[in-house]
Amino acid sequence: MPETLSGRTRNSESDWISVSDLMAGLMMVFMLIAIIYAKSADQRAQNVTEIVTEWQDTELEIYNALKNEFEDDLVRWNAEIEPESLTIRFLSPEVLFAQGSAVLEPRFQDILTDFIPRYIALLNQNFEKQIREIRIEGHTSSGFYGIQDDTEAFIKNMALSQARTRAVLNFSMNIPGLEKWQDWMRRTISANGLSSARIIQNADGIENKRRSRRVEFTIRTKTKEALFEILDRIAPAIEKRI
């Protein structure tokens, strides 16, 4: 199986131990925030708890569906599923694009032709109401061939990663058999080139340049966005009290 961000293979049990810890911590944080912020603390705490629980249940359900559908394909695609962010990550940069190019390699076209129809059908048919956005994200390593200045390399990689995600989006939208989902895809899918803003590091903190060059499909759910909106609304009041 592919490596995780830390460079070590993790099993699903340890994945969900960490996710459970995260959810439990979030629930406690939001309950404390509600108590501090509101006169009707009990009702607000209950509302936040319900949203956190819904988020947890929804994302676990989506993750399990993705895992059941694609687990047998991940090794041959050199891909991995990250449960915390509902991300399917395609690695092997030489399979994705040639160096400095935004033209999809034939092997990556074959992978997308297999992956995209199943991915879209699964999400649309089972989770249409829960999904706010599907993000196609392009990532690069921090370097750029022939460029020594870090800022210039970042800018050039930004243009390259943006061109690559547009190429992935264009190819994906034109795969035969997706006609009935085209409207939903146009409303839901975005292409985002992020340059080297989110490089992957090895356990020793050194950049893993190979793994940093990747394409990701990430799902944002409506319940997760609702939590962020709550934080945005109550943050000013909390700052005043601190």
Side-chain angles (χ1 to χ4, degrees):
M1 290 293 288
E3 292 182 327
T4 62
L5 297 187
S6 66
R8 298 188 299 272
T9 300
R10 299 178 300 185
N11 58 40
S12 58
E13 181 180 356
S14 62
D15 283 335
W16 285 107
I17 288 174
S18 63
V19 172
S20 298
D21 290 344
L22 172 64
M23 295 304 175
L26 278 172
M27 195 171 297
M28 290 298 299
V29 168
F30 280 112
M31 289 179 67
L32 289 172
I33 288 172
I35 292 171
I36 293 173
Y37 175 65
K39 293 181 180 179
S40 54
D42 291 342
Q43 181 61 47
R44 290 181 181 271
Q46 180 181 348
N47 292 341
V48 170
T49 300
E50 290 173 355
I51 293 174
V52 172
T53 301
E54 181 182 355
W55 175 26
Q56 181 179 12
D57 293 345
T58 297
E59 301 216 343
L60 178 58
E61 187 178 356
I62 293 174
Y63 169 73
N64 285 333
L66 292 173
K67 183 179 178 182
N68 290 338
E69 177 67 29
F70 297 113
E71 187 172 26
D72 294 339
D73 303 298
L74 296 178
V75 172
R76 64 187 180 89
W77 290 346
N78 194 17
E80 61 189 15
I81 303 177
E82 182 181 274
E84 291 88 349
S85 60
L86 299 179
T87 293
I88 294 183
R89 178 176 298 113
F90 292 94
L91 303 161
S92 292
E94 69 280 357
V95 171
L96 308 178
F97 302 93
Q99 184 175 6
S101 172
V103 178
L104 278 67
E105 289 287 280
R107 173 61 180 143
F108 193 31
Q109 293 183 27
D110 292 341
I111 291 172
L112 290 175
T113 300
D114 184 9
F115 166 69
I116 291 295
R118 295 160 59 193
Y119 184 69
I120 294 299
L122 172 70
L123 297 181
N124 179 267
Q125 292 175 355
N126 298 284
F127 305 105
E128 179 185 6
K129 294 181 179 180
Q130 290 93 341
I131 292 175
R132 183 180 298 277
E133 182 183 16
I134 299 171
R135 293 172 58 88
I136 303 173
E137 295 187 350
H139 301 268
T140 71
S141 60
S142 58
F144 193 93
Y145 182 76
I147 302 298
Q148 300 300 319
D149 181 78
D150 291 343
T151 299
E152 185 178 359
F154 178 81
I155 296 300
K156 287 187 175 296
N157 276 324
M158 181 66 74
L160 178 61
S161 63
Q162 290 174 345
R164 286 176 169 177
T165 54
R166 287 196 299 270
V168 173
L169 177 61
N170 179 63
F171 183 87
S172 300
M173 293 290 293
N174 287 285
I175 294 174
L178 295 176
E179 291 77 14
K180 63 180 177 180
W181 292 302
Q182 286 288 323
D183 181 63
W184 184 72
M185 292 173 69
R186 286 192 294 268
R187 289 185 284 108
T188 307
I189 300 178
S190 64
N192 308 269
L194 299 175
S195 186
S196 57
R198 299 179 187 171
I199 61 171
I200 292 177
Q201 296 178 331
N202 296 322
D204 58 8
I206 297 176
E207 178 186 359
N208 187 322
K209 293 183 180 294
R210 177 178 171 80
R211 286 178 60 84
S212 292
R213 298 192 289 268
R214 66 202 189 274
V215 172
E216 300 180 347
F217 287 75
T218 297
I219 298 167
R220 289 191 171 180
T221 60
K222 293 179 180 178
T223 47
K224 181 182 292 185
E225 297 298 322
L227 290 176
F228 293 154
E229 290 171 5
I230 290 172
L231 278 175
D232 288 340
R233 288 200 303 268
I234 67 179
I238 294 174
E239 289 176 356
K240 291 180 180 178
R241 292 173 177 268
I242 296 176

